[in-house]
Amino acid sequence: MRSAGIHHITAIAGDPQLNLDFYTETLGLRLVKRTVNFDDPGSYHFYFGDKIGSPGTIITFFPWPGARRGARGSGQVTTVSFAVPPNSIAFWKERLRANHVIAEEIGGRFGNVALRFLDPDGLQLELVVIPGNVEEFRRGTFKAPSPGSLEVARDVRIVGLAPPTLEVRKPEKTGQLLAEILGFEFVAEENNRRRFRGSGSSASSEIDLLSSEAGFGQIAVGTVHHIAFRAADDEEQLRVRKQLVARGLDVTPVIDRQYFHSIYFREPNGILFEIATDRPGFLIDEPVDALGETLKLPPVYEPKRNEIERVLPTIHLHHSAAS
Ligand code: ZN
């Protein structure tokens, strides 16, 4: 396998409306799918990303209203990062400040400036400046897809995911799995942080393994549930599944997630990994202009729509950000 990089990252939120408002309005991402957790249809599953929910731009949430908060620690994806264009940091500092979000500027992330802050549930996020030609961003011709937002001008918008931080006790074990099975290559090391790159060309092709002595994290509100890597197609997914099984890992069968097909396993440091296909994508059950506006259910839950809608909290999407 030569994975192109990250497909999506899924985290746990508390209040669904706060989550929706923060990611669409403060960060300017688009809600590309409003559905339920297929393993627990009494709770929402929100997908945020670019205009069509391209792999590599997607962060998803299971909102669990009233649930307790988790704790960051080893064996987790401890930071979710987004790539922003050069010269956008001043804009983002002001936007976060205006939304009462305290952000800290961190330098020296392999030479790139980043802003670090927390979402309303305490999930640690970063906006990382990715090198590139400012003019390319302005003209919208930069390779990374541009998320749509009515509120955030094109030349400062989040363009997709940037290298997330995976904190682990034994980085060499996860590194071996990434290199030998998922087809990532080691590219650089700095401050106990090892960067690996998949075959894709955008910032979402990279991940960082941070060597950590911290205690194990607890997965609940404000923490990452799992990270998904891209498989080109179903055949590649089946091939890599065989290799994972041969290595002694406990891998699920292929599961139909409606918008992609998935397998799941725990990597040697305990992080839940998913491998998801690029297809069929988010346009399978609604047109591009209507993405995220109504509750979509997989066929198996359609007969229970009334019952499901009755238990889900009411939410309002203030704008659909389809530009
Ligand atoms: Zn997933």
Side-chain angles (χ1 to χ4, degrees):
M1 185 187 201
R2 281 284 279 142
S3 176
I6 306 164
H7 186 285
H8 65 268
I9 293 176
T10 294
I12 299 165
D15 181 74
Q17 187 68 55
L18 279 179
N19 178 256
L20 190 60
D21 290 347
F22 185 79
Y23 285 90
T24 58
E25 304 202 3
T26 304
L27 295 187
L29 299 178
R30 186 179 191 197
L31 179 70
V32 292
K33 197 62 66 182
R34 176 194 308 215
T35 184
V36 292
N37 181 342
F38 292 180
D39 301 322
D40 171 22
S43 60
Y44 280 117
H45 193 179
F46 296 152
Y47 290 79
F48 303 97
D50 71 354
K51 186 174 177 181
I52 60 166
S54 307
T57 70
I58 308 161
I59 182 166
T60 97
F61 289 91
F62 300 134
W64 294 352
R68 68 182 172 83
R69 280 211 177 178
R72 273 192 297 280
S74 72
Q76 275 187 344
V77 177
T78 50
T79 309
V80 179
S81 302
F82 297 96
V84 293
N87 300 335
S88 65
I89 285 294
F91 167 85
W92 284 108
K93 274 185 181 166
E94 173 52 26
R95 187 177 186 85
L96 292 169
R97 193 199 57 75
N99 285 277
H100 314 290
V101 178
I102 298 163
E104 168 199 10
E105 185 169 330
I106 53 170
R109 176 61 56 78
F110 296 105
N112 297 327
V113 173
L115 286 180
R116 178 183 287 169
F117 52 98
L118 303 177
D119 87 350
D121 294 303
L123 178 66
Q124 188 158 273
L125 304 176
E126 286 172 355
L127 297 177
V128 184
V129 171
I130 55 165
N133 186 318
V134 178
E135 284 309 310
E136 285 185 344
F137 280 106
R138 289 235 168 80
R139 291 196 306 269
T141 53
F142 190 77
K143 271 181 259 169
S146 298
S149 167
L150 300 174
E151 301 287 319
V152 179
R154 181 176 282 277
D155 61 348
V156 294
R157 280 180 197 165
I158 288 172
V159 293
L161 294 169
T165 300
L166 282 65
E167 259 189 62
V168 292
R169 293 277 185 90
K170 295 178 175 147
E172 60 287 349
K173 291 198 168 185
T174 305
Q176 266 173 11
L177 178 81
L178 287 168
E180 292 168 14
I181 299 195
L182 303 187
F184 279 71
E185 59 177 334
F186 169 77
V187 288
E189 178 162 8
E190 145 187 305
N191 303 330
N192 291 326
R193 180 180 288 271
R194 300 179 198 184
R195 178 155 292 181
F196 289 80
R197 184 178 295 151
S199 65
S201 57
S202 73
S204 68
S205 68
E206 297 179 332
I207 70 166
D208 287 352
L209 286 186
L210 183 65
S211 176
S212 170
E213 299 297 315
F216 287 105
Q218 290 180 327
I219 310 269
V221 173
T223 62
V224 169
H225 186 268
H226 65 266
I227 179 168
F229 297 95
R230 293 172 65 181
D233 51 35
D234 295 304
E235 290 70 40
E236 185 176 64
Q237 185 179 56
L238 287 175
R239 276 201 308 276
V240 78
R241 186 178 184 283
K242 268 191 193 155
Q243 291 179 304
L244 292 164
V245 169
R247 215 176 164 100
L249 290 160
D250 189 10
V251 191
T252 67
V254 175
I255 300 173
D256 183 0
R257 292 305 190 193
Q258 183 83 350
Y259 311 107
F260 41 84
H261 305 143
S262 298
I263 58 174
Y264 302 82
F265 61 96
R266 282 200 191 274
E267 57 81 38
N269 280 288
I271 302 176
L272 185 59
F273 275 14
E274 173 182 353
I275 295 174
T277 54
D278 280 4
R279 286 170 178 272
F282 295 99
L283 301 178
I284 188 179
D285 59 0
E286 56 189 343
V288 66
D289 291 342
L291 287 179
E293 293 191 358
T294 57
L295 181 72
K296 305 308 288 186
L297 296 174
V300 62
Y301 290 135
E302 221 24 270
K304 293 188 171 175
R305 175 175 283 273
N306 287 345
E307 202 179 314
I308 288 170
E309 287 183 342
R310 212 175 322 117
V311 299
L312 289 172
T314 304
I315 50 165
H316 299 284
L317 181 62
H318 297 293
H319 62 72
S320 64
S323 73

